[in-house]
Amino acid sequence: MSIKSRAVDFDRLPRQLLIGGQWVEGLAGGRIPVLNPVDNGELFTIAEARAEDVDRAVIAARAAFPGWSKIAPSERGRLLYKLVERMEACFDELAELETLDTGHPIRDTRGVDLPRTLLNFRYFAGMADKIDGRQVPVEPGFLNVVKRQPVGVVGQIVPWNFPLMFSSWKLAPALAAGNTVVMKPSELTPLTTLRIAQMMQEVGIPDGVVNIVPGFGHTAGQRLAEHPDVNKISFTGSTATGRKIIAASGGNLKRVSLELGGKGANIVFDDAVLPAAVGGAAFAIFHNQGQACIAGSRLLLHENIADEFLEKFVALANSIRVGDPLDPQTEMGPLTSRLHQQRVLAYLEVCRQEGNRILCGGGVPEAPALQSGCFLKPTIVEAKPGDTVFAEEVFGPFVSVTRFRDEAHAIELANATDYGLGAGLWTTHLARAHRVADALRAGMVWVNCYKRVHPGSPFGGVGQSGYGRDLGTECLSEYTEPKSIWINYDAQIPPFYSR
Ligand code: NAD
């Protein structure tokens, strides 16, 4: 690969755990290699957190909680705004770092990941002093007020597919609401989370308010989920791990919110504006190499337009520029790990065994420069209910196509999944747009667009896609406890027992 990172100063990057304001090694002295998915070369190693390090981090977060939860909310907001300024000043560095760690094309980290991350921190900085309670009209002589208090120490566990953006989704609202945090980034992609934590120190967020413990799921993650002094876990990851989190959290009945997998249906009706739907369907599945929980991974096409749509869609998929993610021309980079590339390739083997017709892609690109990395070609296959790839989350640049007869059939196919995260539909028929959006079993529905996200709008799913929400005022409810306070201000009201 010829294009090299210019903005990242590798010597200054944090490579240890952040606990109580100190950068430290894990007590067991383990190291985790950080690989560049472009060629699987090792960038360097970072310290590995294990259970005992998570314990140290929770103690630090607990110690910081009284101070952080009691400062003026506007001061918490001011510090988060300062963080945004610091991140903006390091825009190129953060974009390149995310690209190196994940394989996301630089045009995406610059154009999507980082702008959305900044918007998110800015939004919740502004929310810090707007988390108000309410006064309930109760019996005369009594005042009832409901305050919202931070839940305490929050454990946050994030996956590898959007590490920078998800760190902001979790950290910003939790901190704005006055909680302290122990975050475990994915062992595969810890770099931007560590760098943001360093910037938090630089702008004056007090020691112990944010603690970062990169480590493996079955050790560090498991300990965080079961820890008796953690009040809430906010988790984003697979449905299988989500089940383990619930089981581990039972000891102290901590709050849990789960953003899990998806199998998004993207429905194109025969009255859709086809060029927009073709481009939107490609964004829905090929952006970020399809490694998105909300990816439009099941394309449902009305039989009247299916052939014409597929001709254009296959041509577009075949024209997507796959290559070095640091090249601004690249539209699809490598998948984030070798293991995951192998997982997606295994689904292609399943397609061959089950007789799914592969319309394009279906393997590793031929270019010699791409052989040692985790690259895959954009892949489109035909599938029907009952086929493995119609049901399971492939989490790659891999979309299944199914034809439908009419609106009822489209809804039936779309809802034929245990997941319920995102879904899309393309139509120019206003009433149909509303009818179908109402009928889809999903936490988010996009009409004539796909994968739109904003910090003010709740993000999450139903069914096996989990429960609870990131973003929106909804997530601030997840990071606060309502407290109902009763005040008797009428001395004439007799107590029940008066003598
Ligand atoms: P994963 O479940 O393997 O890992 C996610 C995180 O959990 C990682 O930090 C991992 O180390 C940790 N973990 C693993 N085992 C654990 C355990 N026993 N206890 C505690 N923590 C543990 O998921 P992944 O492969 O990193 O990410 C891909 C999955 O995440 C996909 O299923 C995708 O759909 C889902 N996802 C969901 C959303 C959403 O918002 N709904 C967003 C992105 C990704």
mmCIF file of all heavy atoms in Angstrom, residues 248-283:
data_model
loop_
_atom_site.group_PDB
_atom_site.id
_atom_site.type_symbol
_atom_site.label_atom_id
_atom_site.label_comp_id
_atom_site.label_asym_id
_atom_site.label_seq_id
_atom_site.Cartn_x
_atom_site.Cartn_y
_atom_site.Cartn_z
ATOM 1 N N ALA A 248 -24.929 -11.907 33.674
ATOM 2 C CA ALA A 248 -23.885 -11.429 34.592
ATOM 3 C C ALA A 248 -24.383 -10.274 35.461
ATOM 4 O O ALA A 248 -23.888 -10.065 36.570
ATOM 5 C CB ALA A 248 -22.658 -10.981 33.792
ATOM 6 N N SER A 249 -25.356 -9.524 34.956
ATOM 7 C CA SER A 249 -25.785 -8.312 35.666
ATOM 8 C C SER A 249 -26.739 -8.608 36.818
ATOM 9 O O SER A 249 -27.058 -7.717 37.606
ATOM 10 C CB SER A 249 -26.484 -7.367 34.683
ATOM 11 O OG SER A 249 -27.720 -7.936 34.281
ATOM 12 N N GLY A 250 -27.182 -9.866 36.925
ATOM 13 C CA GLY A 250 -28.236 -10.196 37.899
ATOM 14 C C GLY A 250 -27.817 -10.041 39.353
ATOM 15 O O GLY A 250 -28.659 -9.797 40.214
ATOM 16 N N GLY A 251 -26.516 -10.165 39.644
ATOM 17 C CA GLY A 251 -26.057 -10.149 41.039
ATOM 18 C C GLY A 251 -26.513 -8.936 41.812
ATOM 19 O O GLY A 251 -27.055 -9.057 42.911
ATOM 20 N N ASN A 252 -26.337 -7.746 41.238
ATOM 21 C CA ASN A 252 -26.776 -6.534 41.950
ATOM 22 C C ASN A 252 -27.953 -5.865 41.239
ATOM 23 O O ASN A 252 -28.277 -4.722 41.518
ATOM 24 C CB ASN A 252 -25.616 -5.545 42.125
ATOM 25 C CG ASN A 252 -25.183 -4.892 40.817
ATOM 26 O OD1 ASN A 252 -25.419 -5.433 39.736
ATOM 27 N ND2 ASN A 252 -24.563 -3.733 40.910
ATOM 28 N N LEU A 253 -28.580 -6.605 40.312
ATOM 29 C CA LEU A 253 -29.752 -6.087 39.586
ATOM 30 C C LEU A 253 -29.465 -4.719 38.969
ATOM 31 O O LEU A 253 -30.290 -3.806 39.037
ATOM 32 C CB LEU A 253 -30.978 -6.001 40.498
ATOM 33 C CG LEU A 253 -31.502 -7.346 41.010
ATOM 34 C CD1 LEU A 253 -32.685 -7.128 41.929
ATOM 35 C CD2 LEU A 253 -31.929 -8.240 39.838
ATOM 36 N N LYS A 254 -28.296 -4.572 38.378
ATOM 37 C CA LYS A 254 -27.974 -3.280 37.778
ATOM 38 C C LYS A 254 -28.869 -3.039 36.567
ATOM 39 O O LYS A 254 -29.405 -3.988 35.961
ATOM 40 C CB LYS A 254 -26.499 -3.217 37.390
ATOM 41 C CG LYS A 254 -26.030 -4.301 36.423
ATOM 42 C CD LYS A 254 -24.583 -4.100 36.001
ATOM 43 C CE LYS A 254 -23.554 -4.263 37.089
ATOM 44 N NZ LYS A 254 -23.436 -5.634 37.643
ATOM 45 N N ARG A 255 -29.026 -1.790 36.234
ATOM 46 C CA ARG A 255 -29.748 -1.445 34.996
ATOM 47 C C ARG A 255 -28.956 -1.923 33.794
ATOM 48 O O ARG A 255 -27.724 -1.833 33.805
ATOM 49 C CB ARG A 255 -29.846 0.060 34.856
ATOM 50 C CG ARG A 255 -30.932 0.703 35.628
ATOM 51 C CD ARG A 255 -30.878 2.174 35.282
ATOM 52 N NE ARG A 255 -32.005 2.856 35.838
ATOM 53 C CZ ARG A 255 -32.596 3.886 35.248
ATOM 54 N NH1 ARG A 255 -32.157 4.345 34.089
ATOM 55 N NH2 ARG A 255 -33.623 4.476 35.804
ATOM 56 N N VAL A 256 -29.665 -2.337 32.749
ATOM 57 C CA VAL A 256 -28.977 -2.787 31.529
ATOM 58 C C VAL A 256 -29.701 -2.198 30.318
ATOM 59 O O VAL A 256 -30.932 -2.197 30.260
ATOM 60 C CB VAL A 256 -29.000 -4.333 31.425
ATOM 61 C CG1 VAL A 256 -28.371 -4.791 30.114
ATOM 62 C CG2 VAL A 256 -28.263 -4.973 32.594
ATOM 63 N N SER A 257 -28.933 -1.675 29.367
ATOM 64 C CA SER A 257 -29.534 -1.369 28.062
ATOM 65 C C SER A 257 -28.681 -2.039 26.991
ATOM 66 O O SER A 257 -27.457 -2.085 27.089
ATOM 67 C CB SER A 257 -29.652 0.138 27.827
ATOM 68 O OG SER A 257 -28.406 0.761 27.982
ATOM 69 N N LEU A 258 -29.348 -2.603 26.005
ATOM 70 C CA LEU A 258 -28.693 -3.476 25.023
ATOM 71 C C LEU A 258 -29.007 -3.031 23.602
ATOM 72 O O LEU A 258 -30.179 -2.964 23.209
ATOM 73 C CB LEU A 258 -29.198 -4.919 25.193
ATOM 74 C CG LEU A 258 -29.009 -5.572 26.562
ATOM 75 C CD1 LEU A 258 -29.777 -6.888 26.622
ATOM 76 C CD2 LEU A 258 -27.539 -5.799 26.856
ATOM 77 N N GLU A 259 -27.950 -2.701 22.860
ATOM 78 C CA GLU A 259 -28.094 -2.436 21.420
ATOM 79 C C GLU A 259 -27.457 -3.623 20.716
ATOM 80 O O GLU A 259 -26.235 -3.744 20.676
ATOM 81 C CB GLU A 259 -27.345 -1.156 21.028
ATOM 82 C CG GLU A 259 -27.715 0.080 21.812
ATOM 83 C CD GLU A 259 -29.054 0.642 21.420
ATOM 84 O OE1 GLU A 259 -29.670 0.125 20.478
ATOM 85 O OE2 GLU A 259 -29.500 1.595 22.076
ATOM 86 N N LEU A 260 -28.272 -4.493 20.156
ATOM 87 C CA LEU A 260 -27.749 -5.776 19.662
ATOM 88 C C LEU A 260 -27.796 -5.856 18.130
ATOM 89 O O LEU A 260 -27.795 -4.850 17.449
ATOM 90 C CB LEU A 260 -28.523 -6.917 20.329
ATOM 91 C CG LEU A 260 -28.574 -6.817 21.867
ATOM 92 C CD1 LEU A 260 -29.406 -7.930 22.464
ATOM 93 C CD2 LEU A 260 -27.170 -6.810 22.460
ATOM 94 N N GLY A 261 -27.845 -7.053 17.610
ATOM 95 C CA GLY A 261 -27.728 -7.249 16.159
ATOM 96 C C GLY A 261 -28.980 -6.837 15.399
ATOM 97 O O GLY A 261 -29.990 -6.426 15.984
ATOM 98 N N GLY A 262 -28.904 -6.948 14.084
ATOM 99 C CA GLY A 262 -30.040 -6.599 13.241
ATOM 100 C C GLY A 262 -30.015 -7.362 11.927
ATOM 101 O O GLY A 262 -29.019 -8.004 11.577
ATOM 102 N N LYS A 263 -31.130 -7.307 11.228
ATOM 103 C CA LYS A 263 -31.216 -7.916 9.891
ATOM 104 C C LYS A 263 -32.182 -7.046 9.094
ATOM 105 O O LYS A 263 -33.294 -7.465 8.762
ATOM 106 C CB LYS A 263 -31.713 -9.359 10.024
ATOM 107 C CG LYS A 263 -31.590 -10.187 8.751
ATOM 108 C CD LYS A 263 -30.161 -10.526 8.399
ATOM 109 C CE LYS A 263 -30.103 -11.248 7.064
ATOM 110 N NZ LYS A 263 -28.723 -11.429 6.588
ATOM 111 N N GLY A 264 -31.737 -5.805 8.863
ATOM 112 C CA GLY A 264 -32.629 -4.769 8.355
ATOM 113 C C GLY A 264 -33.225 -5.070 6.975
ATOM 114 O O GLY A 264 -32.498 -5.377 6.032
ATOM 115 N N ALA A 265 -34.536 -4.935 6.888
ATOM 116 C CA ALA A 265 -35.212 -5.058 5.594
ATOM 117 C C ALA A 265 -35.223 -3.690 4.917
ATOM 118 O O ALA A 265 -35.506 -2.676 5.558
ATOM 119 C CB ALA A 265 -36.638 -5.553 5.794
ATOM 120 N N ASN A 266 -34.929 -3.675 3.637
ATOM 121 C CA ASN A 266 -34.976 -2.434 2.864
ATOM 122 C C ASN A 266 -35.901 -2.715 1.679
ATOM 123 O O ASN A 266 -35.555 -3.474 0.779
ATOM 124 C CB ASN A 266 -33.557 -2.067 2.407
ATOM 125 C CG ASN A 266 -33.487 -0.657 1.873
ATOM 126 O OD1 ASN A 266 -34.386 0.151 2.102
ATOM 127 N ND2 ASN A 266 -32.416 -0.350 1.161
ATOM 128 N N ILE A 267 -37.102 -2.089 1.712
ATOM 129 C CA ILE A 267 -38.172 -2.467 0.775
ATOM 130 C C ILE A 267 -38.264 -1.433 -0.348
ATOM 131 O O ILE A 267 -38.400 -0.235 -0.084
ATOM 132 C CB ILE A 267 -39.535 -2.501 1.510
ATOM 133 C CG1 ILE A 267 -39.436 -3.342 2.791
ATOM 134 C CG2 ILE A 267 -40.632 -3.016 0.602
ATOM 135 C CD1 ILE A 267 -40.657 -3.209 3.690
ATOM 136 N N VAL A 268 -38.248 -1.903 -1.591
ATOM 137 C CA VAL A 268 -38.399 -0.977 -2.723
ATOM 138 C C VAL A 268 -39.709 -1.296 -3.435
ATOM 139 O O VAL A 268 -39.870 -2.385 -4.017
ATOM 140 C CB VAL A 268 -37.212 -1.087 -3.701
ATOM 141 C CG1 VAL A 268 -37.349 -0.037 -4.802
ATOM 142 C CG2 VAL A 268 -35.882 -0.931 -2.970
ATOM 143 N N PHE A 269 -40.655 -0.348 -3.362
ATOM 144 C CA PHE A 269 -41.951 -0.534 -4.031
ATOM 145 C C PHE A 269 -41.831 -0.131 -5.498
ATOM 146 O O PHE A 269 -40.889 0.563 -5.898
ATOM 147 C CB PHE A 269 -43.033 0.279 -3.310
ATOM 148 C CG PHE A 269 -43.406 -0.327 -1.978
ATOM 149 C CD1 PHE A 269 -42.853 0.142 -0.792
ATOM 150 C CD2 PHE A 269 -44.291 -1.400 -1.917
ATOM 151 C CE1 PHE A 269 -43.179 -0.428 0.428
ATOM 152 C CE2 PHE A 269 -44.630 -1.981 -0.699
ATOM 153 C CZ PHE A 269 -44.066 -1.492 0.468
ATOM 154 N N ASP A 270 -42.839 -0.525 -6.291
ATOM 155 C CA ASP A 270 -42.717 -0.275 -7.728
ATOM 156 C C ASP A 270 -43.020 1.172 -8.107
ATOM 157 O O ASP A 270 -42.883 1.560 -9.260
ATOM 158 C CB ASP A 270 -43.588 -1.249 -8.546
ATOM 159 C CG ASP A 270 -45.055 -1.184 -8.184
ATOM 160 O OD1 ASP A 270 -45.405 -0.439 -7.236
ATOM 161 O OD2 ASP A 270 -45.861 -1.881 -8.820
ATOM 162 N N ASP A 271 -43.414 2.009 -7.114
ATOM 163 C CA ASP A 271 -43.586 3.439 -7.397
ATOM 164 C C ASP A 271 -42.410 4.261 -6.856
ATOM 165 O O ASP A 271 -42.490 5.489 -6.773
ATOM 166 C CB ASP A 271 -44.907 3.946 -6.783
ATOM 167 C CG ASP A 271 -44.980 3.701 -5.288
ATOM 168 O OD1 ASP A 271 -43.942 3.350 -4.686
ATOM 169 O OD2 ASP A 271 -46.076 3.844 -4.706
ATOM 170 N N ALA A 272 -41.320 3.595 -6.468
ATOM 171 C CA ALA A 272 -40.162 4.325 -5.920
ATOM 172 C C ALA A 272 -39.421 5.056 -7.027
ATOM 173 O O ALA A 272 -39.513 4.693 -8.199
ATOM 174 C CB ALA A 272 -39.217 3.340 -5.230
ATOM 175 N N VAL A 273 -38.675 6.096 -6.654
ATOM 176 C CA VAL A 273 -37.750 6.748 -7.591
ATOM 177 C C VAL A 273 -36.518 5.842 -7.662
ATOM 178 O O VAL A 273 -35.706 5.789 -6.730
ATOM 179 C CB VAL A 273 -37.372 8.160 -7.087
ATOM 180 C CG1 VAL A 273 -36.369 8.811 -8.027
ATOM 181 C CG2 VAL A 273 -38.610 9.024 -6.921
ATOM 182 N N LEU A 274 -36.408 5.099 -8.744
ATOM 183 C CA LEU A 274 -35.418 4.017 -8.771
ATOM 184 C C LEU A 274 -33.957 4.458 -8.596
ATOM 185 O O LEU A 274 -33.235 3.822 -7.828
ATOM 186 C CB LEU A 274 -35.561 3.183 -10.043
ATOM 187 C CG LEU A 274 -36.633 2.089 -10.001
ATOM 188 C CD1 LEU A 274 -36.324 0.985 -11.009
ATOM 189 C CD2 LEU A 274 -36.852 1.498 -8.630
ATOM 190 N N PRO A 275 -33.498 5.516 -9.273
ATOM 191 C CA PRO A 275 -32.076 5.866 -9.073
ATOM 192 C C PRO A 275 -31.762 6.158 -7.603
ATOM 193 O O PRO A 275 -30.717 5.749 -7.093
ATOM 194 C CB PRO A 275 -31.885 7.112 -9.947
ATOM 195 C CG PRO A 275 -32.982 7.031 -10.962
ATOM 196 C CD PRO A 275 -34.137 6.372 -10.275
ATOM 197 N N ALA A 276 -32.690 6.849 -6.929
ATOM 198 C CA ALA A 276 -32.465 7.143 -5.509
ATOM 199 C C ALA A 276 -32.465 5.856 -4.692
ATOM 200 O O ALA A 276 -31.640 5.671 -3.784
ATOM 201 C CB ALA A 276 -33.554 8.094 -4.992
ATOM 202 N N ALA A 277 -33.376 4.949 -5.014
ATOM 203 C CA ALA A 277 -33.462 3.699 -4.255
ATOM 204 C C ALA A 277 -32.231 2.827 -4.485
ATOM 205 O O ALA A 277 -31.739 2.184 -3.556
ATOM 206 C CB ALA A 277 -34.733 2.939 -4.657
ATOM 207 N N VAL A 278 -31.715 2.822 -5.720
ATOM 208 C CA VAL A 278 -30.519 2.016 -6.010
ATOM 209 C C VAL A 278 -29.333 2.559 -5.199
ATOM 210 O O VAL A 278 -28.628 1.810 -4.512
ATOM 211 C CB VAL A 278 -30.206 2.032 -7.529
ATOM 212 C CG1 VAL A 278 -28.834 1.438 -7.804
ATOM 213 C CG2 VAL A 278 -31.289 1.268 -8.296
ATOM 214 N N GLY A 279 -29.122 3.868 -5.255
ATOM 215 C CA GLY A 279 -28.012 4.466 -4.508
ATOM 216 C C GLY A 279 -28.204 4.292 -3.004
ATOM 217 O O GLY A 279 -27.250 3.990 -2.274
ATOM 218 N N GLY A 280 -29.440 4.457 -2.548
ATOM 219 C CA GLY A 280 -29.722 4.314 -1.116
ATOM 220 C C GLY A 280 -29.523 2.889 -0.635
ATOM 221 O O GLY A 280 -29.012 2.652 0.465
ATOM 222 N N ALA A 281 -29.888 1.936 -1.482
ATOM 223 C CA ALA A 281 -29.721 0.527 -1.090
ATOM 224 C C ALA A 281 -28.242 0.167 -1.008
ATOM 225 O O ALA A 281 -27.820 -0.628 -0.159
ATOM 226 C CB ALA A 281 -30.431 -0.379 -2.086
ATOM 227 N N ALA A 282 -27.435 0.778 -1.885
ATOM 228 C CA ALA A 282 -25.991 0.520 -1.848
ATOM 229 C C ALA A 282 -25.393 1.118 -0.567
ATOM 230 O O ALA A 282 -24.591 0.471 0.118
ATOM 231 C CB ALA A 282 -25.315 1.107 -3.085
ATOM 232 N N PHE A 283 -25.798 2.346 -0.229
ATOM 233 C CA PHE A 283 -25.313 2.947 1.015
ATOM 234 C C PHE A 283 -25.741 2.094 2.207
ATOM 235 O O PHE A 283 -24.973 1.848 3.147
ATOM 236 C CB PHE A 283 -25.861 4.373 1.155
ATOM 237 C CG PHE A 283 -25.505 5.027 2.465
ATOM 238 C CD1 PHE A 283 -24.192 5.381 2.746
ATOM 239 C CD2 PHE A 283 -26.481 5.282 3.419
ATOM 240 C CE1 PHE A 283 -23.857 5.970 3.962
ATOM 241 C CE2 PHE A 283 -26.155 5.874 4.634
ATOM 242 C CZ PHE A 283 -24.843 6.222 4.907
#
